[in-house]
Amino acid sequence: MSLTGLFLILFLVIHLIGNLQLLIDDGGRTFNEYAYLMTNNPLIKVISYGNYFFILLHAFQGILLWRQNASAKGQKYAVSTSNNASWASKNMGPLGLIILAFIVLHMWQFWYQMKFGGLPTATYDGLEVKNLYGPVSEAFSQLPFVIFYVVCMAFIALHLSHGFQSAFQSLGLNHKKYTPAIKFLGTAYSILVPLGFAIIPVFFFLFR
Amino acid sequence: MNLTLKVWRQKGANVKGALETYQVKANEHMSFLEMLDVLNEDLISQGKEPVAFAHDCREGICGTCNLVIDGRPHGPQQGTTVCQLHMRAFKDGQTIVVEPWRAAAFPIIKDLVVDRSSFDAIIQAGGFISVNTGQAQDGNAIPIEKDTASLAFDAATCIGCGACVAACPNGSAMLFTSAKVSHLALMPQGKVEHEKRVQKMVAQMDLEGFGNCSNTGACEVECPKEISISNIARLNRSYVGSVLSSD
Ligand code: HEM
Ligand code: SF4
Ligand code: FES
């Protein structure tokens, strides 16, 4: 759980750096060339298959954990004890499930199109690449989709607001000196990375 | 002071229970358990069945008094067992809801009394040192750094009450188990069997039907002995180590 979670945390940063190239104002050239690289480089291919596997493993373990814990809890209290743990920490399962649903949709919408869809192509310096920038800017011009995307990023932020520091504790890494720093980093990460992802559709909707 | 109590009544393990309302006259010098004694005297004099609740030492060291008061294991006061909680922590005219520990591994025996033998099973699985390590003077003959001794002592103050499980949204016994593992692991006499102990106690914990720790931190807030979740990290660390190094 913690190892797959940390891998996904690392993945999200790389993914964000890639996506931020969408903001470069060159008609999508940088982004398309990057997308071409990502689908054709053998090393990236290996890592991406690992990534699909880790997402599924993390989701599978998460749902199993959620079910086990629900049955270990016993009857509900008439007066709830909820005042001493963060909301996110108690709802990692439901949050994860929403994120999983988002990932499935996201893969179908962009990844499947890139891999198997009949996308129109663009040619840069004689290299013919699929124009993924097209469907992305198309999707981000629709207000309902932009809202949906931003809301999903909020769920990821909540999942990570607990998950980041939780992963370290699960591995036994708790220390007077370092744990406050890990918690601070976790809070910063869980705000900044989802925010970075969310800025892209908003920017496209407003300025492209 | 006049109080309205809503108390969980349940005749036996497999019977449906419900909250029942009672009026009690108490004074602020009473402990919470003495207030319940007054209620039971009233009930007995009315020819009614008294409320079953567990208690033993009444001085905060045995871990037998287990009540969830207004949604908080051991009540509203930080670092205090129910027997050490006094009625001055409440207001005249207040309504107080009293429930038993709720966790699948702590089935209700009657009213507010739960069966915590699952904790005993965890201790029996490995919470001991297999050889005789001598008397106090033998212990004193081994030099142990003060900081280490203090850490071990902090963990050893766990009274096995189960408030951590009652507070945990996952019904997990990790705080208890980690306290027991830690206090032995930090001492030279306990170090020898540390890795085997970790494996056995964790396996037993799962077998008893406790949930998995997801690091919500709810347990350490309610623990009457203020055991820290850094003990859980120590257990996790040891568990990873013992899996990697076992043959
Ligand atoms: C963007 C993708 C995701 C990232 C970066 C991520 C990250 C994390 C991290 C770091 C943890 C803490 C692990 C630990 O304490 O040991 C965690 C826990 C968890 N995740 Fe995810 N996760 C993601 C997606 C998902 C998905 C798709 C599910 C699907 C159901 C899910 C369900 C859970 C559950 C149930 C937990 C356990 C709660 C806990 O241990 O505190 N996550 N996640
Ligand atoms: S860790 Fe604290 S709450 Fe849990 S059994 Fe020990 S004393 Fe009670
Ligand atoms: S009765 Fe012993 S700790 Fe409360």
Side-chain angles (χ1 to χ4, degrees):
Chain A
M1 203 77 243
S2 49
L3 294 177
T4 50
L6 285 176
F7 178 84
L8 294 179
I9 280 176
L10 212 61
F11 158 74
L12 279 190
V13 179
I14 312 291
H15 190 25
L16 176 62
I17 296 170
N19 282 12
L20 285 176
Q21 299 174 51
L22 281 163
L23 298 180
I24 298 170
D25 196 11
D26 61 358
R29 175 171 177 163
T30 316
F31 180 73
N32 279 339
E33 283 174 347
Y34 159 76
Y36 177 82
L37 173 79
M38 292 309 259
T39 35
N40 291 284
N41 181 311
L43 178 68
I44 307 269
K45 260 192 186 154
V46 173
I47 297 176
S48 67
Y49 284 117
N51 191 29
Y52 309 146
F53 175 71
F54 284 142
I55 290 178
L56 291 177
L57 185 65
H58 183 84
F60 177 76
Q61 283 187 317
I63 291 166
L64 202 70
L65 204 64
W66 180 19
R67 280 190 36 194
Q68 279 181 353
N69 287 351
S71 60
K73 195 158 56 179
Q75 198 182 330
K76 241 177 110 85
Y77 289 107
V79 181
S80 148
T81 36
S82 63
N83 50 6
N84 48 36
S86 76
W87 184 85
S89 75
K90 288 183 294 178
N91 291 282
M92 291 298 274
L95 284 170
L97 210 59
I98 295 172
I99 299 171
L100 186 64
F102 169 77
I103 294 175
V104 171
L105 193 78
H106 184 68
M107 296 278 279
W108 179 77
Q109 193 171 20
F110 298 134
W111 174 85
Y112 183 82
Q113 299 302 326
M114 184 66 194
K115 285 265 187 185
F116 308 109
L119 283 183
T121 55
T123 308
Y124 307 115
D125 301 332
L127 177 68
E128 195 184 0
V129 303
K130 287 187 177 174
N131 185 8
L132 183 61
Y133 184 84
V136 172
S137 59
E138 155 82 37
F140 289 168
S141 67
Q142 298 158 13
L143 184 61
F145 183 76
V146 172
I147 293 174
F148 166 78
Y149 193 96
V150 171
V151 168
C152 284
M153 290 311 109
F155 285 126
I156 292 183
L158 282 168
H159 192 78
L160 290 174
S161 71
H162 176 67
F164 191 102
Q165 49 102 9
S166 174
F168 288 88
Q169 169 82 2
S170 295
L171 291 172
L173 304 172
N174 179 311
H175 191 280
K176 255 199 220 104
K177 243 188 327 201
Y178 307 118
T179 298
I182 290 171
K183 286 193 173 164
F184 175 78
L185 205 67
T187 308
Y189 180 102
S190 68
I191 294 170
L192 292 179
V193 171
L195 190 69
F197 278 111
I199 280 175
I200 299 167
V202 172
F203 182 86
F204 265 72
F205 184 74
L206 293 179
F207 303 115
R208 290 277 162 89
Chain B
M1 56 201 297
N2 291 307
L3 300 165
T4 306
L5 290 186
K6 290 190 169 168
V7 182
W8 185 261
R9 301 303 306 262
Q10 180 171 335
K11 287 208 164 68
N14 299 314
V15 200
K16 234 177 102 86
L19 286 173
E20 291 202 12
T21 309
Y22 304 100
Q23 304 294 329
V24 193
K25 255 191 182 7
N27 71 55
E28 64 248 24
H29 307 301
M30 289 176 174
S31 75
F32 200 87
L33 296 186
E34 284 164 340
M35 184 276 294
L36 289 179
D37 291 337
V38 172
L39 169 67
N40 277 348
E41 292 293 329
D42 285 354
L43 289 175
I44 291 167
S45 68
Q46 293 166 27
K48 290 182 187 157
E49 178 84 7
V51 178
F53 64 92
H55 58 98
D56 188 12
C57 69
R58 297 209 179 194
E59 54 184 8
I61 56 170
C62 74
T64 311
C65 53
N66 304 317
L67 304 175
V68 173
I69 300 165
D70 284 340
R72 297 194 58 187
H74 291 300
Q77 203 165 293
Q78 196 69 29
T80 315
T81 56
V82 177
C83 57
Q84 295 296 296
L85 174 68
H86 287 83
M87 295 315 292
R88 50 183 172 270
F90 300 88
K91 287 197 284 288
D92 186 28
Q94 195 173 335
T95 301
I96 306 170
V97 181
V98 190
E99 296 176 81
W101 280 181
R102 297 218 185 268
F106 288 163
I108 293 179
I109 296 172
K110 190 179 179 184
D111 296 342
L112 301 169
V113 183
V114 300
D115 180 356
R116 290 179 300 129
S117 43
S118 45
F119 264 17
D120 301 338
I122 295 176
I123 295 292
Q124 282 156 6
F128 50 81
I129 295 169
S130 301
V131 295
N132 189 343
T133 56
Q135 299 298 318
Q137 71 268 27
D138 303 303
N140 286 336
I142 306 170
I144 298 168
E145 208 196 334
K146 171 69 179 126
D147 290 347
T148 312
S150 299
L151 264 185
F153 187 77
D154 284 349
T157 58
C158 165
I159 53 177
C161 64
C164 42
V165 179
C168 178
N170 308 323
S172 168
M174 281 290 272
L175 194 63
F176 165 75
T177 308
S178 72
K180 297 303 167 196
V181 160
S182 291
H183 104 250
L184 293 170
L186 290 161
M187 292 285 112
Q189 299 94 325
K191 247 183 206 139
V192 185
E193 293 171 280
H194 174 53
E195 293 194 340
K196 274 200 181 131
R197 176 182 305 119
V198 166
Q199 291 270 328
K200 284 188 184 156
M201 288 178 84
V202 168
Q204 191 66 36
M205 187 174 75
D206 293 342
L207 207 66
E208 297 296 327
F210 289 106
N212 308 292
C213 177
S214 65
N215 308 323
T216 68
C219 53
E220 70 175 354
V221 180
E222 299 299 355
C223 171
K225 299 298 160 186
E226 303 184 314
I227 305 283
S228 154
I229 58 170
S230 60
N231 290 296
I232 297 183
R234 182 180 293 104
L235 176 60
N236 287 338
R237 219 162 41 232
S238 309
Y239 188 79
V240 173
S242 69
V243 168
L244 292 180
S245 67
S246 69
D247 38 33

